[in-house]
Amino acid sequence: MAAVSIDLEMKRFTNEAFVEKAKKLEGKLIENLVKPAGIVTVDEKGKIHPGAKLEDLPGMLLKKGDSVVLDFEDHQVGYVSLKLKSAGSPQDAPAYLRLKFGEIAKELIEKSEEYNGWISRGWIQEEYIHIDVLPVCLKLPRRYAFRFLEIYVVDTSLKYQVVVEEVVCRAVSAVSKEGVACVADPRMSQLDKVSLRTLQNCMQSVFEDGPKRDRRLWLGDLRLQALTNYETFKNYDMVKRCLYLFGGLTRDDGAIGACLFTEPEYIVDDTFLFDYSLFFISTLKDYYEASKDLETLKDLWQPAYRQIELARERFNDNYIIEGSDTFWCFVDWKKGLDKQASAQAIYIYTLNAAIELAKILGKEELAKQLQEEKGYCISAALKYLWDEKLHVFISGAKRQVSYASQVWMVLAGVKKDQEAGALLKHITEINPDMGMVTPYMNHHYVEALILCGEKKMAVDYMKYYWGGMLSYGADTFWELYNPENPEESPYGSSAVNSYCHAWSCTPAYLLRKLEKEEKTNGISCN
């Protein structure tokens, strides 16, 4: 029997054997030294313009109020060192500097003192530093996610200036793009390149959701990162490590958390989401299909199946899920989104995965029971959530119509084949107010289109949505992008938005999935 420990105060449960397996799977990070590619200026709209020549940097004398913006040309994740000295008279007062990092240039003109959002301003990558003695090699202890670095001189004295001799970033990632083949279609190469960079920079000791923020392991992100990883970097051990962490760090009733921390200790967060917990099953199934690792499947089957048992508690006697006013299910950041219908479909979606895994493990009777339950849930969805007049699924007491409800019902197989394709075309035509705002939800829309055989619609939408971020100069894809309001934020300010985010990396997966289908069926998506 596996060794376990229980934290009664926080009602957490730890399977020590699983956590030990996860620790042994931690890989060594690949390091590269990266220097700035140029000097730029940033205008009041956040647009970049060419600045002085980089070779002139060591000759620039920076006094009070002066600044220089270094452009590293691509998104970096790593540790920054600055080689600084003084010029003029002997240093008679500390050099007082502000260092500001930006994943996009607009972050450099954000005024952090005006931020009033609901998550910590501690995520804003800005440092005020006193330097008593120059010259110095200043090694910043934090890890940063950035493309741009602004060095601003708050003050020196009237007698000397600061000279920036050199700036270097020790960039880190668990993987290298070397050996990863690009997609065949050259018109999609930039989309693929930025997707790969997004995933690469989110692969650290675990699959992080964002290297700027929140820098931890979220299950919804992991599922999509893992799918993309199987088609590109093929780092199976990292997926396995994350699965064991989620399976080994649970609530005392066995619920798998939405996210967990690895520092200063391995611990599950206190956020539990209906859909994320269930996605542990789907992620485990995808991992087994990619790796054929039966031992891990056997180990983690029980914590996976436990999520179904817990999810059943939310269903009423009619096999319809009942939500709540709390943050109980994610689906998307869209404000006002009712999640009942999506949650119903996600339960069916994960039942599909559980049935497959039960059969692989030889649990035929359980697979049969799950199949029957799935039938009841589908029948209930068609009876209570399908509007025959509107020809859409509705959600909640107000009978809300949203993209999310239709997309998840298609992915779950509640509507199939021609009916599914017609439903997606219909919801696209009526374009309800309750749209989609995250790349996470938009990924599922594209995946549903592919499932229905609407491959050209899928490609065109990727060009529109992720291509929209490219039009704004994205080096990595963002946590949130609303084409109608690119600066939208669920946090009260875009200053804390993440511009390299795990759930945005999936075009690299979707494009390769389409290429495979083209080779198999000989059908072009162009």
Side-chain angles (χ1 to χ4, degrees):
M1 184 176 177
V4 298
S5 63
I6 302 175
D7 184 339
L8 293 174
E9 181 181 353
M10 297 299 294
K11 295 186 178 180
R12 293 185 173 96
F13 180 91
T14 301
N15 184 316
E16 302 288 0
F18 285 0
V19 173
E20 281 305 309
K21 284 189 177 185
K23 288 179 179 178
K24 290 176 181 178
L25 289 164
E26 182 174 1
K28 186 177 181 181
L29 296 181
I30 299 168
E31 298 185 359
N32 290 292
L33 294 180
V34 183
K35 294 185 178 181
I39 297 174
V40 297
T41 61
V42 181
D43 65 26
E44 65 277 3
K45 294 183 179 179
K47 304 292 184 183
I48 60 172
H49 306 277
K53 294 181 179 179
L54 186 63
E55 55 265 31
D56 295 336
L57 179 64
M60 297 173 66
L61 308 182
L62 303 177
K63 63 182 184 301
K64 178 180 179 179
D66 288 343
S67 66
V68 61
V69 177
L70 303 177
D71 181 2
F72 283 71
E73 204 170 44
D74 198 359
H75 188 277
Q76 310 296 330
V77 176
Y79 301 86
V80 174
S81 299
L82 302 92
K83 189 176 180 182
L84 307 171
K85 69 177 184 180
S86 64
S89 298
Q91 182 186 3
D92 61 338
Y96 187 22
L97 306 181
R98 184 191 70 194
L99 306 176
K100 198 165 188 177
F101 296 84
E103 293 185 299
I104 63 171
K106 184 177 178 294
E107 289 180 87
L108 301 183
I109 62 171
E110 298 274 10
K111 295 181 179 180
S112 59
E113 65 273 15
E114 295 179 0
Y115 172 71
N116 194 32
W118 63 270
I119 62 173
S120 172
R121 74 172 60 208
W123 290 117
I124 298 175
Q125 300 181 112
E126 183 177 59
E127 310 291 351
Y128 285 86
I129 298 175
H130 291 81
I131 304 171
D132 293 310
V133 179
L134 294 167
V136 69
C137 182
L138 180 64
K139 295 183 178 181
L140 302 178
R142 286 197 77 217
R143 194 194 73 192
Y144 298 94
F146 68 102
R147 171 177 167 175
F148 302 98
L149 166 59
E150 180 192 42
I151 304 169
Y152 173 77
V153 179
V154 180
D155 212 346
T156 53
S157 79
L158 296 175
K159 299 180 67 176
Y160 79 95
Q161 300 84 41
V162 173
V163 176
V164 181
E165 292 189 283
E166 184 180 57
V167 180
V168 177
C169 174
R170 177 167 58 87
V172 292
S173 171
V175 293
S176 167
K177 287 195 286 186
E178 186 176 341
V180 178
C182 297
V183 294
D185 188 345
R187 292 169 296 179
M188 308 301 281
S189 61
Q190 187 63 13
L191 207 64
D192 187 46
K193 176 186 174 183
V194 174
S195 298
L196 289 172
R197 187 63 168 174
T198 303
L199 178 58
Q200 179 186 23
N201 282 359
C202 289
M203 292 178 71
Q204 299 294 329
S205 73
V206 293
F207 286 97
E208 294 183 357
D209 66 325
K212 169 190 169 183
R213 209 218 79 242
D214 299 324
R215 296 170 59 158
R216 58 184 183 264
L217 177 60
W218 284 82
L219 225 171
D221 300 74
L222 168 63
R223 183 172 65 92
L224 301 188
Q225 286 173 291
L227 287 170
T228 308
N229 169 65
Y230 301 142
E231 298 293 333
T232 55
F233 300 114
K234 302 184 187 302
N235 188 330
Y236 300 105
D237 278 353
M238 181 176 283
V239 183
K240 184 176 178 178
R241 166 173 157 80
C242 294
L243 284 168
Y244 272 111
L245 286 174
F246 274 116
L249 299 164
T250 66
R251 200 167 61 194
D252 64 340
D253 62 355
I256 287 177
C259 69
L260 53 82
F261 299 89
T262 57
E263 294 178 323
E265 60 181 317
Y266 292 95
I267 189 169
V268 65
D269 192 19
D270 54 6
T271 301
F272 294 84
L273 298 172
F274 177 87
D275 48 348
Y276 275 32
S277 294
L278 284 169
F279 283 140
F280 183 78
I281 304 165
S282 307
T283 310
L284 181 59
K285 187 211 65 151
D286 294 336
Y287 170 74
Y288 175 77
E289 287 181 345
S291 67
K292 303 304 179 188
D293 181 356
L294 187 59
E295 179 185 349
T296 298
L297 173 56
K298 288 179 178 178
D299 273 354
L300 297 177
W301 165 253
Q302 192 53 49
Y305 181 67
R306 179 61 180 149
Q307 307 319 300
I308 290 175
E309 294 177 327
L310 291 168
R312 285 181 183 138
E313 297 174 5
R314 279 198 172 268
F315 284 81
N316 63 26
D317 293 339
N318 293 322
Y319 287 94
I320 289 292
I321 195 165
E322 295 181 344
S324 65
D325 294 331
T326 62
F327 185 44
W328 68 281
C329 184
F330 176 66
V331 181
D332 194 16
W333 271 128
K334 181 66 176 176
K335 187 176 181 181
L337 177 65
D338 189 278
K339 300 169 182 180
Q340 180 192 42
S342 297
Q344 179 94 10
I346 287 167
Y347 185 70
I348 297 167
Y349 177 88
T350 52
L351 278 180
N352 289 332
I355 291 166
E356 287 186 44
L357 294 181
K359 289 178 179 178
I360 291 166
L361 293 169
K363 300 179 182 293
E364 296 295 337
E365 185 59 34
L366 178 58
K368 182 180 178 181
Q369 293 171 8
L370 292 173
Q371 189 70 42
E372 290 177 357
E373 181 180 0
K374 171 187 162 184
Y376 296 143
C377 291
I378 290 176
S379 297
L382 293 171
K383 181 177 180 179
Y384 297 105
L385 301 178
W386 176 254
D387 189 305
E388 193 61 48
K389 292 182 179 179
L390 297 175
H391 294 288
V392 293
F393 288 96
I394 52 88
S395 185
K398 295 182 179 180
R399 303 178 65 80
Q400 184 187 86
V401 178
S402 70
Y403 272 90
S405 297
Q406 322 314 314
V407 166
W408 275 111
M409 288 295 180
V410 168
L411 290 173
V414 178
K415 289 286 184 179
K416 297 181 179 180
D417 304 324
Q418 290 183 344
E419 284 190 338
L423 175 58
L424 291 180
K425 286 183 178 179
H426 181 50
I427 197 66
T428 303
E429 287 168 359
I430 64 176
N431 193 23
D433 291 338
M434 199 50 59
M436 306 171 287
V437 296
T438 59
Y440 175 79
M441 188 60 232
N442 279 275
H443 159 85
H444 293 111
Y445 174 66
V446 173
E447 195 159 38
L449 288 172
I450 295 172
L451 182 65
C452 297
E454 298 293 342
K455 298 179 177 61
K456 186 178 186 305
M457 280 183 68
V459 171
D460 288 346
Y461 193 80
M462 279 191 278
K463 291 177 180 177
Y464 160 73
Y465 187 75
W466 281 269
M469 284 183 262
L470 293 181
S471 71
Y472 284 95
D475 304 294
T476 49
F477 288 129
W478 307 346
E479 172 186 18
L480 180 136
Y481 173 62
N482 181 353
E484 297 178 2
N485 181 15
E487 295 186 14
E488 185 171 333
S489 173
Y491 312 114
S493 170
S494 61
V496 291
N497 280 9
S498 168
Y499 293 98
C500 174
H501 214 74
W503 64 26
S504 307
C505 73
T506 57
Y509 160 70
L510 295 167
L511 290 169
R512 285 164 177 77
K513 184 175 182 178
L514 284 165
E515 284 187 351
K516 284 182 179 179
E517 292 196 15
E518 285 184 29
K519 289 177 182 177
T520 302
N521 303 319
I523 300 173
S524 175
C525 301
N526 298 324

